[in-house]
């Protein structure tokens, strides 16, 4: 079992719709959770971080964390074609010097 | 804040040659990380520095790989006797203690 699992996609949504990206992790002591966006040929860019159960909103992005279910998600409201990218989920564990373990990413395409 | 800078952006080398990459982190960031990313996968942790001390190394980091961070500033990653399996994007990231990573643009290595 991979430490961090994501559906590879591709996930396609129409412009203006809500895109929902999901991630599960295997290590119960995972502490911090991040979503990165990566455009083709570019490096990952941090878009959201979440540390406690519940929802965290930042503009059109909402991260949701459920530690009991070992599940973290990212919602993108009013999706735009510029949101088309690969979204990487990453987690850290206690005592790991904030070493990030990444999932393989979900490829999102927003159709005009 | 000039971001994390990596050099070179691209490197093509013949199998068996040595290569060295450089990373200049954001100046106030004391933590520096090296990751490797292959196509369709998330970044994989290689090694971590806090200031000048190399505190963690992945099992992925064979004895052909070495990293340094003299004086806690820039870092270098050297790969000796390159193999085709070393072809990947090598990403450097830096952070302060309680913040998410900032990645550099990466160095894309192709071993022919």
């Amino acid at each position: 079992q991979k430490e961090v699992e994501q559906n590879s996609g591709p996930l396609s949504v129409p412009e203006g719709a809500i895109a929902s990206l999901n991630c599960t992790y295997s290590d119960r002591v995972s502490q911090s959770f991040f979503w990165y966006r990566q455009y083709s040929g570019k490096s990952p860019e941090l878009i959201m971080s979440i540390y406690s159960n519940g929802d965290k909103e930042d503009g059109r992005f909402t991260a949701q964390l459920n530690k009991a279910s070992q599940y973290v998600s990212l919602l993108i409201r009013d999706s735009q074609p510029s949101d088309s990218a690969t979204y990487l989920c990453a987690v850290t564990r206690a005592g790991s010097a904030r070493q990030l373990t990444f999932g393989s990413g979900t490829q999102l395409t927003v159709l005009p | 804040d000039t971001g994390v800078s990596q050099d070179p952006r691209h490197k093509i080398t013949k199998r068996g040659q040595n290569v060295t990459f450089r990373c200049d982190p954001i100046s106030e960031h004391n933590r520096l990380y090296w990751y490797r990313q292959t196509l369709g996968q998330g970044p994989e942790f290689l090694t971590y520095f806090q200031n000048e001390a190399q505190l963690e190394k992945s099992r992925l980091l064979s004895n052909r790989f070495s990293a340094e961070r003299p004086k806690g500033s820039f870092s270098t990653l050297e790969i000796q006797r390159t193999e085709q399996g070393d072809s990947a994007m090598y990403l450097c990231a830096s952070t302060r203690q309680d913040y998410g990573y900032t990645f550099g643009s990466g160095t894309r290595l192709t071993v022919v």
Side-chain angles (χ1 to χ4, degrees), chain B:
Chain B
D1 180 355
T2 58
V4 178
S5 177
Q6 290 190 248
D7 185 70
R9 293 292 303 275
H10 303 276
K11 179 72 175 178
I12 300 174
T13 191
K14 292 184 178 180
R15 190 172 51 189
Q17 298 295 302
N18 299 342
V19 294
T20 300
F21 311 140
R22 177 179 171 125
C23 172
D24 287 273
I26 294 171
S27 58
E28 63 266 28
H29 287 184
N30 62 335
R31 297 185 177 202
L32 185 148
Y33 301 79
W34 286 97
Y35 280 74
R36 179 173 67 187
Q37 187 177 23
T38 54
L39 195 63
Q41 300 298 315
E44 294 176 297
F45 171 78
L46 293 178
T47 191
Y48 154 67
F49 290 85
Q50 182 160 324
N51 300 312
E52 67 274 14
Q54 187 175 20
L55 298 184
E56 287 187 29
K57 290 171 62 173
S58 165
R59 286 169 292 178
L60 294 174
L61 213 65
S62 77
N63 55 12
R64 296 185 297 106
F65 288 70
S66 62
E68 295 182 341
R69 192 183 182 195
K71 302 179 182 179
S73 55
F74 71 92
S75 176
T76 59
L77 177 68
E78 181 183 18
I79 309 174
Q80 296 181 329
R81 305 181 302 282
T82 52
E83 301 172 356
Q84 286 190 320
D86 297 331
S87 295
M89 174 77 85
Y90 289 83
L91 293 163
C92 177
S94 69
T95 185
R96 287 182 293 179
Q97 191 154 354
D98 294 319
Y99 293 86
Y101 289 5
T102 301
F103 279 96
S105 299
T107 294
R108 183 168 295 283
L109 173 66
T110 303
V111 181
V112 297

Side-chain angles (χ1 to χ4, degrees), chain A residues 16-19 56-63 75-80 83:
Chain A
I18 296 175
K56 179 181 178 182
E57 187 174 317
D58 184 0
R60 296 187 295 111
F61 299 99
T62 299
L75 300 177
I76 306 174
R77 290 181 300 281
D78 189 23
S79 295
Q80 301 297 309
D83 294 326

